[in-house]
Amino acid sequence: LADPVLPDGVVELLKKNLKVRSLRGTDFDLVQRSSSGGYTRGKGAQAVVNMLNREGRGGLVVFDPLRNMMQGEETGESLSALIRVLNWIVKHTDAPVTPFISHHTAQASMQSKDMTEAAFRGASDLKDGLRWTMVVQRVTDNQAEKLGFDDCSDLRQISMPKVNYGKSISGGIFVQ
């Protein structure tokens, strides 16, 4: 398995160190509705901790997409509960872990091309609870033309509106 884009040895390192667990078709919730009407830690959170502790390794844990990991609306109370659950997972694993969640932007921000933290669905709860955020959106035809591109279908614009330990970044463009 050779990849002309990756430097020598990277494929072997990925084979050795990257573990992918698909949750497709499972009943997996990090956050679930509680009997009192609020939200609480779901059984999926304990399953993640058990798996990480059994493997004895930390690292980056990707939850993609966020919507499939929780019950309820993607707003206020449920997102605040999600942030608490992610912190609980970090606290209860034997090795250091960093949770990474992918989440879609709000419909209004896609139309207005909002690249700030307001672009997130459930923005204030995510902005307040997360240490780092990134927005990825398609580049418009006008933006592509200004940059000298004829076709913008593969172009994406990025911004990092919240970076707790550094400066916010905006305006990056990459080819998907």
Side-chain angles (χ1 to χ4, degrees):
L1 177 68
D3 189 322
V5 178
L6 297 174
D8 290 342
V10 171
V11 172
E12 288 75 27
L13 286 172
L14 287 172
K15 285 180 181 178
K16 179 181 173 189
N17 295 302
L18 180 66
K19 294 192 183 264
V20 177
R21 303 279 189 265
S22 174
L23 301 173
R24 179 176 231 121
T26 65
D27 181 21
F28 184 90
D29 288 314
L30 294 175
V31 174
Q32 66 186 27
R33 289 191 184 278
S34 68
S35 57
S36 65
Y39 294 92
T40 188
R41 185 176 67 242
K43 61 185 174 186
Q46 186 65 55
V48 169
V49 168
N50 291 346
M51 179 195 64
L52 291 169
N53 287 341
R54 190 172 45 251
E55 291 183 1
R57 325 171 53 156
L60 184 68
V61 180
V62 179
F63 299 99
D64 177 40
L66 168 67
R67 181 68 199 111
N68 292 349
M69 305 292 163
M70 57 187 287
Q71 295 176 3
E73 297 297 316
E74 298 165 285
T75 57
E77 191 179 355
S78 64
L79 289 174
S80 292
L82 175 75
I83 300 301
R84 288 192 305 275
V85 168
L86 293 174
N87 287 330
W88 181 88
I89 290 171
V90 169
K91 183 178 178 183
H92 287 87
T93 52
D94 297 335
V97 297
T98 300
F100 179 96
I101 59 173
S102 71
H103 185 46
H104 63 88
T105 54
Q107 291 290 335
S109 72
M110 286 189 282
Q111 293 167 359
S112 69
K113 297 298 179 190
D114 185 355
M115 296 296 287
T116 68
E117 59 266 304
F120 303 117
R121 180 142 164 81
S124 62
D125 296 283
L126 290 175
K127 181 184 84 165
D128 294 344
L130 300 174
R131 293 183 186 95
W132 181 89
T133 61
M134 181 170 68
V135 178
V136 180
Q137 291 186 347
R138 286 189 165 97
V139 171
T140 65
D141 290 334
N142 288 341
Q143 289 171 314
E145 187 177 317
K146 287 179 185 175
L147 294 168
F149 290 93
D150 296 328
D151 178 23
C152 67
S153 60
D154 291 335
L155 297 177
R156 301 296 180 264
Q157 180 177 351
I158 64 168
S159 82
M160 292 173 231
K162 181 173 182 183
V163 181
N164 268 14
Y165 309 110
K167 282 177 51 173
S168 295
I169 300 169
S170 65
I173 303 287
F174 68 95
V175 178
Q176 180 176 344

